[in-house]
């Protein structure tokens, strides 16, 4: 597999280089030089394959010879060791549950696959890989559990004090082994600024082999295509071959993977980009003007992104064909009141508890089906996290109905370990150097 930078289309790097660099020097994003179209024989018979089989076929088509078949198979079996079931809620309304992995969010797909690919590419005797990651909640848990016990790696997670939920904090701070958590007295943006500055600091770069685990890494994007193919396979099993996906979006990695799957031949009818009031992309789809804004805090905080980092990839996938992009993707945006209303509706009508991000995707699907008189097209909305991760969002009557999975019950028995730091870079740097 060869990749180029969106800022410099003539560059060529290997998959390994792209994974370790995460972002090119020129601050573009890596994209595959060739996006293979999968054979009709595979696409038409998706329902004959299991999730790991689909994942292998899709990954192999993209990655090619960079990872030999047996190694790629074992990476996939180890990383994607949980299911992504589709549940029918009513005629033509289905939910794709992407939170059956260890951190209870869809980010497990990307983080677990990426950690194993990185570990695979680390050669014997190579310097330990130091992964720095800033999180507003879900990324940190998925990355921590993805790298836990992976040889020759160490993860440092920065999270904003008092701004993640209790369960999220436990997921970040109770791992031990090669995972350490740093609680920053500041916001998520402060955490991200510290990580960014660390990557440009000469002394730190000499001392450590630093890499980032955020959602722009190409090794996080690839595994997210797997569940689109697998969801379509499940729909085929139900006798349905015309599908629209509604994707709750923040940094646009998730829907970006869906669009990549579409480019590879997955016959998706339409995509819906559902956001909270951080609506830079829905605005663009409406007006044609891409105007990033500072992010605004909402109940669906994993989507509080004013300048989605993966948008560049989507623009690149459709370069020159923005008209096609606009035909394929519709944007919708909702405020917190509408989000709560959707959560209540889903609970009352389907006896189903959806996390706030998921509820936004459902509302967007419903509105799209109504606005376009397309109630006869099967809609699948993506459920990106288990509701127990956002306990404060729900009214009491619904909160009591949220099931607590076994791994969360176990978390409550563990003790939090984290280091508290301010938001100044010098303190963070000193901590890294002293604890190297
Ligand atoms: C990260 C996240 C999102 C947003 O996904 P993007 O790929 O950044 O668009 C949505 N929902 C939940 C629960 C998340 O953790």
């Amino acid at each position: 597999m060869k990749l180029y930078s969106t800022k410099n289309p003539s560059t060529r790097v290997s998959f390994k280089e792209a994974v370790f660099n995460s972002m090119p020097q020129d601050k573009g994003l890596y994209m595959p030089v060739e996006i293979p179209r999968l054979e009709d024989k595979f696409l038409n018979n998706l329902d004959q394959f299991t999730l790991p089989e689909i994942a292998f076929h899709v990954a192999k088509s993209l990655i090619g010879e960079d990872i030999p078949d047996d190694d790629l198979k074992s990476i996939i079996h180890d990383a994607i060791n949980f299911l992504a079931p589709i549940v029918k809620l009513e005629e033509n309304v289905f939910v794709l549950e992407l939170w059956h992995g260890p951190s209870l969010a869809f980010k497990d797909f990307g983080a677990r696959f990426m950690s194993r690919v990185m570990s695979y590419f680390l050669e014997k005797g190579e310097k330990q890989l130091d992964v720095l990651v800033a999180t507003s909640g879900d990324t940190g848990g998925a990355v921590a559990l993805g790298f836990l016990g992976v040889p020759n790696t160490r993860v440092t997670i920065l999270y904003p004090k008092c701004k993640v939920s209790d369960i999220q904090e436990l997921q970040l701070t109770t791992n031990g082994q090669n995972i350490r958590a740093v609680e920053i007295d500041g916001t998520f943006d402060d955490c991200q600024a510290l990580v960014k500055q660390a990557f440009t600091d000469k002394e730190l770069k000499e001392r450590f082999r630093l890499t980032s685990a955020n959602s722009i890494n190409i090794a996080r994007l690839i595994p997210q295509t797997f569940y689109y193919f697998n969801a379509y396979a499940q729909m085929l099993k139900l006798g349905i071959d015309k599908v629209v996906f509604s994707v709750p979006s923040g940094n646009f990695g998730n829907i970006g993977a869906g669009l990549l799957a579409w480019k590879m031949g997955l016959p998706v009818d339409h995509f819906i980009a559902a956001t909270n009031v951080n609506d830079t992309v829905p605005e663009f789809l409406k007006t044609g003007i891409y105007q990033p804004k500072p992010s605004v805090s909402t109940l669906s905080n994993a989507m509080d992104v004013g300048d989605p980092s993966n948008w560049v990839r989507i623009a690149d996938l459709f370069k020159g064909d923005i008209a096609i992009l606009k035909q394929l993707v519709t944007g919708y945006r909702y405020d917190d009141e509408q989000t709560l209303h959707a959560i209540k509706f889903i609970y009352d009508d389907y006896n189903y508890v959806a996390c706030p991000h998921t509820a936004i995707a459902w509302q967007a699907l419903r509105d799209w089906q109504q606005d376009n008189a397309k109630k006869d097209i099967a809609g699948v909305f993506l459920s990106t996290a288990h509701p127990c991760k956002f306990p404060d969002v729900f009214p009491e009557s619904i909160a009591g109905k949220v099931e607590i999975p076994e791994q969360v019950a176990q978390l409550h028995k563990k003790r939090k370990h984290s280091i508290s730091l301010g938001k100044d870079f010098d303190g963070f740097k000193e901590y890294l150097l002293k604890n190297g």
Side-chain angles (χ1 to χ4, degrees):
M1 179 184 202
K2 289 273 179 273
L3 299 106
Y4 63 89
S5 164
T6 50
K7 283 227 171 116
N8 204 341
S10 61
T11 45
R12 291 291 179 272
V13 300
S14 67
F15 182 48
K16 177 177 174 179
E17 243 184 296
V19 171
F20 283 134
N21 291 351
S22 211
M23 186 187 255
Q25 288 286 332
D26 62 20
K27 305 236 159 49
L29 292 186
Y30 288 118
M31 285 295 280
V33 173
E34 270 171 57
I35 297 175
R37 193 183 185 290
L38 303 181
E39 324 78 73
D40 287 338
K41 196 169 141 245
F42 174 72
L43 295 169
N44 296 334
N45 296 293
L46 274 172
D47 54 345
Q48 311 290 315
F49 300 103
T50 63
L51 172 56
E53 286 166 351
I54 290 173
F56 173 74
H57 192 88
V58 173
K60 175 78 195 163
S61 315
L62 279 164
I63 298 171
E65 302 305 312
D66 293 44
I67 302 178
D69 287 6
D70 286 346
D71 294 324
L72 185 57
K73 271 185 195 152
S74 72
I75 287 171
I76 286 169
H77 276 274
D78 196 31
I80 318 292
N81 59 351
F82 49 91
L83 295 173
I86 276 193
V87 178
K88 181 171 181 174
L89 297 182
E90 66 166 291
E91 200 57 31
N92 287 328
V93 178
F94 300 81
V95 54
L96 171 60
E97 295 181 342
L98 297 173
W99 39 257
H100 291 274
S103 84
L104 305 170
F106 83 99
K107 291 187 172 75
D108 281 328
F109 280 89
R112 291 176 69 78
F113 184 80
M114 178 182 64
S115 61
R116 280 146 185 87
V117 167
M118 282 184 172
S119 160
Y120 171 79
F121 279 137
L122 277 174
E123 277 151 37
K124 282 203 177 57
E126 277 190 25
K127 197 165 165 181
Q128 166 180 278
L129 188 68
D130 258 295
V131 181
L132 296 186
V133 58
T135 185
S136 58
D138 279 340
T139 299
V143 170
L145 292 167
F147 277 94
L148 184 64
V150 172
N152 216 10
T153 66
R154 176 174 59 183
V155 178
T156 308
I157 303 168
L158 283 75
Y159 70 97
K161 186 175 173 173
C162 300
K163 293 201 172 62
V164 301
S165 77
D166 287 349
I167 290 173
Q168 286 173 330
E169 184 168 28
L170 285 169
Q171 285 181 338
L172 305 174
T173 58
T174 58
N175 295 294
Q177 296 188 55
N178 57 332
I179 313 294
R180 51 188 191 179
V182 181
E183 180 177 27
I184 299 292
D185 195 358
T187 62
F188 168 65
D189 289 336
D190 294 324
C191 296
Q192 198 152 29
L194 289 173
V195 169
K196 280 195 179 150
Q197 198 170 344
F199 282 111
T200 58
D201 187 90
K202 199 160 162 265
E203 203 180 343
L204 289 177
K205 280 207 307 199
E206 266 164 24
R207 176 82 179 274
F208 305 109
R209 180 173 183 182
L210 297 177
T211 193
S212 103
N214 61 18
S215 78
I216 55 173
N217 196 298
I218 190 72
R220 276 184 65 170
L221 193 74
I222 292 170
Q224 295 187 152
T225 60
F226 304 163
Y227 51 73
Y228 284 94
F229 287 96
N230 184 240
Y232 194 84
Q234 293 178 68
M235 297 302 279
L236 284 180
K237 279 191 188 143
L238 300 171
I240 297 168
D241 64 359
K242 205 168 157 71
V243 177
V244 44
F245 284 107
S246 178
V247 188
S249 298
N251 264 321
F252 280 71
N254 194 354
I255 197 169
L259 293 165
L260 180 58
W262 176 83
K263 274 258 167 175
M264 294 175 79
L266 188 69
V268 181
D269 213 64
H270 200 76
F271 288 90
I272 299 165
T275 73
N276 56 32
V277 292
N278 295 283
D279 61 352
T280 303
V281 171
E283 274 299 303
F284 166 79
L285 291 168
K286 221 165 40 192
T287 63
I289 299 166
Y290 186 85
Q291 181 61 57
K293 315 179 232 196
S295 64
V296 176
S297 293
T298 73
L299 291 177
S300 47
N301 62 3
M303 312 202 301
D304 293 348
V305 183
D307 186 8
S309 55
N310 272 292
W311 179 252
V312 173
R313 280 209 167 100
I314 296 174
D316 195 77
L317 270 179
F318 290 88
K319 50 179 174 268
D321 290 327
I322 291 296
I324 294 180
L325 175 64
K326 283 182 158 181
Q327 255 170 33
L328 185 64
V329 185
T330 307
Y332 284 91
R333 60 90 88 174
Y334 300 98
D335 62 22
D336 279 350
E337 199 185 318
Q338 291 169 310
T339 306
L340 281 175
H341 186 264
I343 287 173
K344 286 193 193 115
F345 190 103
I346 296 167
Y347 181 68
D348 290 342
D349 262 44
Y350 308 135
N351 196 25
Y352 189 87
V353 185
C355 92
H357 315 80
T358 305
I360 285 178
W362 170 80
Q363 186 69 56
L365 173 63
R366 184 183 179 81
D367 289 344
W368 182 84
Q369 283 175 328
Q370 274 179 357
D371 293 351
N372 299 286
K374 290 213 167 140
K375 288 207 143 172
D376 54 326
I377 294 194
V380 176
F381 65 99
L382 276 56
S383 178
T384 43
H386 191 289
C388 77
K389 295 188 91 174
F390 308 94
D392 304 336
V393 168
F394 299 104
E396 228 167 272
S397 57
I398 297 179
K401 301 290 192 244
V402 177
E403 276 172 44
I404 304 298
E406 178 54 26
Q407 67 254 55
V408 171
Q410 291 299 327
L411 273 180
H412 286 293
K413 297 184 191 146
K414 295 187 184 168
R415 278 198 43 199
K416 166 183 163 180
H417 285 283
S418 68
I419 305 290
S420 296
L421 291 177
K423 58 185 178 186
D424 62 296
F425 182 68
D426 289 344
F428 177 53
K429 179 172 171 179
E430 188 187 313
Y431 164 78
L432 289 177
L433 291 170
K434 278 211 175 129
N435 295 279

